[in-house]
Amino acid sequence: MSTLHQLLSDLVAETAVLDDLLAGLRDDEWETATPAEGWAVRDQVSHLAFFDEAAVVAATNPERFRTDAERLKALGPNFPDVVAAGFQETPVSELNTWFRNARSELIATFAKLDGKARMPWFGPDMSVTSCVTARLMETWAHTQDVLDAFGVVRKPTMRLRHVAHLGVRTMHFSFHLNGRPAPEAPVHVSLKAPDGSVWSWGPEDSHDRVEGDALDFCLVVTQRRNVADTGLVVSGPVASEWLTIAQAYAGAPGPGREPLISIRSVS
């Protein structure tokens, strides 16, 4: 289990990847469509900035956050789209500054907190450490959308461990979110890490299994790729169903991504 300090250091490193990418864009390139339907690069950045600020409020003023969260959820399940639409006329320079400032404030604020302390969020309450893990996952996932918009491929890092762990931990949440009963059967997940080592979760003798590359798994649980477009080998009915609805982030059930190639699975 990573310490809060380690997580924050990895969040800084993940943020730098996006910062470097944004620094090389012309103003007009911020309007480039990303694979997320209806979202341009600017929407990806405003989304991160807005919810970084929300996380700081949740950690430091829970009652205010709960009030704000109820107001947002009252806009409907697509409230993140509504939020993004509100910043579509914001100048690029202001968006960039906002994201940098919001991220810096989040890191400075969370560095002073107890990682085990509980805080509210748009889904279930969670620990401060889990919130930082979620912010890292969100940063990685939305950076992926920006990279995909320009056809850029990045080298996977060991920071994927955080995204993969969150993906595994949210399996039952994914079923609940989609109105399905949480499965009783355990799933064994075995992933090849960027350094060639193996990350694993769940009993090794489980009938239901997910095996393959860590990057592929992270892309699926953040709904950046359809499982059919990965090399993951999926065995058993529970694992197969899970990877069609896997969602490592809070909010309404995501639409996922349409498959580009025929599915690879093992019954």
Side-chain angles (χ1 to χ4, degrees), residues 47 53 59 78 84 86 91 115 117 120 128 132 134 141 146 153 158 165 167 175 177 190 195 205 211-212 225 254:
H47 176 87
E53 289 186 343
N78 67 331
V128 165
V132 175
V146 177
V153 177
M158 296 296 282
H165 181 69
F175 278 85
L177 197 60
S190 179
D195 68 350
D205 61 351
E211 300 167 289
R225 293 290 187 278

Side-chain angles (χ1 to χ4, degrees), residues 206-256:
S206 295
H207 173 69
D208 286 273
R209 309 175 69 83
V210 178
E211 300 167 289
D213 189 79
L215 175 60
D216 280 348
F217 181 77
C218 291
L219 289 168
V220 170
V221 298
T222 58
Q223 297 197 359
R224 265 54 192 181
R225 293 290 187 278
N226 189 290
V227 65
D229 298 319
T230 72
L232 293 175
V233 178
V234 186
S235 309
V238 172
S240 297
E241 183 179 7
W242 171 34
L243 290 197
T244 67
I245 58 173
Q247 180 170 324
Y249 53 90

